[in-house]
Amino acid sequence: MNKFLLSLSLIFFSAGIASAQDDAAELAKKLANPIASLISVPFQNNTDYGIGEFNGTRNTMNIQPVIPISISKDWNMITRVVLPVVTQYSITAPGEKQSGLGDAVMSAFFSPANSEKLTWGVGPALLIPTGTNDFLTTEKFGMGPTAIALKQVNGWTIGALVNQIWSVAGNADRPDVSQMFVQPFVNYNWKSGAGIGANMEWTQNWEASTATVWLNPTISAVTSLGKQKTQFVVGPRLNLAAPDGGKADWGWRAVVIFLFPK
């Protein structure tokens, strides 16, 4: 009888572990897809050192809620906001500090609800001048198109996101905005929910004819904090290109993502 109970307990324990791993793997797969049908609230912290001629430091906390909305049986709309909270030292002058909100970018992707071979979405992107410091805002409203396409197979996710924003209103004394953002990405996730990946973030300022390029390799894991499903991501940041006087020596990224699966 005792052996039977022990065997039964082991079966349920093993099933519980397998179920937890399946859940973690599915969540990791959805998180690798920026337009998955999953409510998430990422807090992405980027700290960069040795910036420019004054050897400055910048910390940017990006608050990035993602909310999918089913608009029909065939289509979803995935809304995404990026709101930066910035603190920087010795960027504009030695010993000078600026802190506050940066400008927000809001995107809405219209995506097929059942795309088997290739996942894609297109929609508008809006620039909202939420910046609270003259050095952290364009003081311009902007808009333009955004698109994403990705493929997921055998644990791999490969894709790219792009947007182009032009200013349409705002402070006439500030420079116009014509800016493209391109983000190719690749991830591999194991069944445990752990993963490795990398993305490149290329921002092209057409008005100033400058480019800023970051390479961000990462490792990640999905876990539970009590009942709250959470993903942790960490990795270095490599500044491959920047405007004159704006390149960083190095940086790092740490992300906490709170997940709200249906």
Side-chain angles (χ1 to χ4, degrees):
M1 183 66 177
N2 289 337
K3 289 183 178 180
F4 173 76
L5 291 175
L6 178 60
S7 299
L8 193 61
S9 298
L10 288 173
I11 290 171
F12 279 110
F13 180 70
S14 300
I17 292 176
S19 176
Q21 287 184 335
D22 289 345
D23 289 346
E26 183 62 24
L27 287 173
K29 180 180 178 180
K30 287 185 175 182
L31 283 165
N33 175 3
I35 55 172
S37 182
L38 173 68
I39 297 174
S40 63
V41 183
F43 293 85
Q44 180 197 89
N45 194 81
N46 300 305
T47 305
D48 306 314
Y49 303 93
I51 302 172
E53 60 178 314
F54 306 124
N55 199 35
T57 302
R58 179 184 294 117
N59 191 86
T60 305
M61 170 68 78
N62 290 318
I63 305 170
Q64 302 174 297
V66 178
I67 301 176
I69 301 170
S70 177
I71 56 177
S72 75
K73 67 176 183 178
D74 297 320
W75 290 91
N76 292 327
M77 180 179 72
I78 298 89
T79 62
R80 184 173 182 236
V81 177
V82 179
L83 177 63
V85 182
V86 183
T87 299
Q88 60 183 31
Y89 300 90
S90 298
I91 301 294
T92 59
E96 291 293 316
K97 173 187 174 183
Q98 294 86 34
S99 62
L101 296 178
D103 292 345
V105 175
M106 302 177 64
S107 304
F109 297 93
F110 295 90
S111 177
N114 300 297
S115 52
E116 296 181 358
K117 294 184 178 180
L118 182 71
T119 301
W120 60 272
V122 296
L126 303 176
L127 174 67
I128 312 296
T130 52
T132 57
N133 184 290
D134 287 345
F135 290 101
L136 306 179
T137 179
T138 62
E139 295 188 20
K140 295 283 190 178
F141 290 91
M143 63 175 56
T146 186
I148 186 172
L150 60 99
K151 177 73 174 178
Q152 292 187 301
V153 59
N154 297 328
W156 287 96
T157 300
I158 301 173
L161 179 151
V162 62
N163 67 46
Q164 167 67 41
I165 293 177
W166 296 274
S167 55
V168 295
N171 188 341
D173 294 330
R174 299 295 293 265
D176 289 336
V177 173
S178 178
Q179 183 170 287
M180 179 182 69
F181 177 75
V182 180
Q183 185 185 52
F185 53 86
V186 59
N187 290 281
Y188 180 79
N189 291 107
W190 288 275
K191 292 182 179 180
S192 64
I196 58 173
N199 70 50
M200 185 181 73
E201 296 171 343
W202 168 26
T203 302
Q204 180 71 39
N205 184 335
W206 300 112
E207 290 288 329
S209 298
T210 60
T212 302
V213 182
W214 288 91
L215 178 64
N216 305 295
T218 58
I219 57 174
S220 60
V222 174
T223 187
S224 295
L225 300 178
K227 294 183 179 181
Q228 177 64 59
K229 294 291 185 180
T230 308
Q231 185 183 50
F232 294 97
V233 184
V234 68
R237 281 165 53 80
L238 308 174
N239 194 186
L240 304 183
D244 290 342
K247 193 172 183 181
D249 290 338
W250 68 285
W252 63 278
R253 169 172 291 179
V255 190
V256 178
I257 306 174
F258 297 106
L259 314 174
F260 302 92
K262 296 179 180 179

